[in-house]
Amino acid sequence: MKNDTVTTFILQGLTDDPQLQVLVFIFILLTYMLSVTGNLTIIALTFVDSHLKTPMYFFFKNFSFLEISFTSACIPRYLYNIATGDKVITFNACLIEVFFTDLCAVTEFFLLAAMSYDRYVAICKPLHYVTIMNSRVCWVLIFCCWVSGLSVIIPPFILVLKLEFCDSNILDHFLCDAFPLVKIACSETWTLEQTVNICAVLTLNLTLTCVVLSYGSIIKTIFRFPSVQQRKKAFSTCSSHMIVVSLTYGTCIFIYMNPAAKDKVTVNKVVTVLISSVSPTMNPFIYTLRNNQVKNAFKVSLKRLTLISSK
């Protein structure tokens, strides 16, 4: 049975235990709702609050949009699978899911690099910050992030389209991904595997190098500040981004640069849950709880809503 006759795949999910499925459903649903609500809140605040109309929050807004897009590309489908017991996904729907989840995930890495450059300019070149990070530059950086994401995923995606499936259409995962597709393919997969590895390593190394260089310069500059108060303020503006960078890169390096993790299906599934559910849920809270401007904007917006509703 070649891929021109395969019309559906069966997603095995995280577990077959009915009781565990209920717990998984509740957990995934709650994290998804919190993620969407938190990220939408950040997007809304950047639109309505004049204090958040700066390059840093412009990038936060785009990052939140990517997080919503990434989780919405795969999580609702899995929730539907658990709720209905229907584990079947069509061949085309599976490929669309692979495309959009990978596009959003890869674009996030380039956006994190752009955000680290923004922090570098803000702290290391404060007098030129407004000139360097003007509106046009910010939009160009966002455009470059999306183009880079597309450029990275298109070569392996074309190879995924050429896969042939002979013996099984059961994917040992809860979402469509390149690795489970490779495992059930009966055609040659070496080229695809090497292409995925090369693209992953290049993306991680290139963006991580930008992040490390930016924060290396930031730390050097901060330690030159004369007062402790200035140092604390500078670190506080970067700390939330550094936490998000650590979470994102840590989980992805574990999967793509640790060969043993690819073979351990259970470990791979757990790490994917962290990437698709837990991390997008934590990111809005990391940005808001560690950022006084966002907290103040949130309080002001709540007061406005209260006044409007009381009228």
Side-chain angles (χ1 to χ4, degrees), residues 25 27-28 41 50 55 84 87-88 106 146 160 178 203 209 213 216 221 225 257 259 267-268 288:
F25 180 83
F27 174 76
I28 299 291
T41 301
S50 59
T84 62
K87 297 183 177 183
V88 177
V106 174
W146 281 100
V160 168
T203 301
T209 299
L213 288 175
T221 303
F225 288 170
M257 302 185 95
V267 175
N268 200 315
T288 53

Side-chain angles (χ1 to χ4, degrees), residues 16-63:
D16 292 324
D17 189 319
Q19 291 181 328
L20 279 177
Q21 281 188 341
V22 173
L23 293 175
V24 168
F25 180 83
I26 294 170
F27 174 76
I28 299 291
L29 179 62
L30 284 175
T31 54
Y32 177 66
M33 289 175 66
L34 284 171
S35 171
V36 172
T37 304
N39 283 297
L40 279 176
T41 301
I42 288 178
I43 292 171
L45 289 174
T46 57
F47 276 114
V48 300
D49 195 284
S50 59
H51 296 97
L52 302 184
K53 295 187 183 297
T54 63
M56 181 173 76
Y57 296 106
F58 173 79
F59 289 119
F60 279 2
K61 175 175 63 181
N62 281 275
F63 189 79

Side-chain angles (χ1 to χ4, degrees), residues 26 78 123 165 216 269 301:
I26 294 170
Y78 181 53
I123 292 172
F165 306 94
K269 286 181 183 179
S301 298

Side-chain angles (χ1 to χ4, degrees), residues 175-291:
L175 53 79
C176 285
D177 188 50
F179 290 137
L181 285 170
V182 164
K183 286 199 170 187
I184 64 168
C186 63
S187 56
E188 183 270 324
T189 61
W190 185 87
T191 305
L192 172 59
E193 290 180 63
Q194 296 307 310
T195 304
V196 169
N197 288 333
I198 290 168
C199 289
V201 169
L202 284 175
T203 301
L204 290 171
N205 286 341
L206 180 63
T207 56
L208 189 57
T209 299
C210 293
V211 171
V212 170
L213 288 175
S214 296
Y215 276 100
S217 299
I218 287 169
I219 291 168
K220 282 182 184 178
T221 303
I222 289 174
F223 280 119
R224 291 190 193 126
F225 288 170
S227 69
V228 176
Q229 193 65 31
Q230 283 180 310
R231 291 176 194 172
K232 283 184 179 178
K233 187 177 178 181
F235 272 121
S236 67
T237 61
C238 300
S239 58
S240 56
H241 182 248
M242 290 175 74
I243 293 169
V244 172
V245 165
S246 301
L247 285 170
T248 307
Y249 280 92
T251 50
C252 288
I253 287 172
F254 181 82
I255 289 180
Y256 290 102
M257 302 185 95
N258 180 8
K262 297 175 189 176
D263 300 325
K264 296 175 183 177
V265 177
T266 305
V267 175
N268 200 315
K269 286 181 183 179
V270 171
V271 176
T272 306
V273 169
L274 290 174
I275 295 170
S276 60
S277 293
V278 179
S279 184
T281 304
M282 291 175 64
N283 291 345
F285 294 101
I286 291 169
Y287 282 128
T288 53
L289 293 176
R290 299 187 64 85
N291 193 300

Side-chain angles (χ1 to χ4, degrees), residues 65-66 68 78 98 115 124 178 180 203 256 261 276 307:
F65 173 75
L66 268 175
I68 293 171
Y78 181 53
V98 170
M115 291 167 76
C124 300
T203 301
Y256 290 102
S276 60
L307 288 171

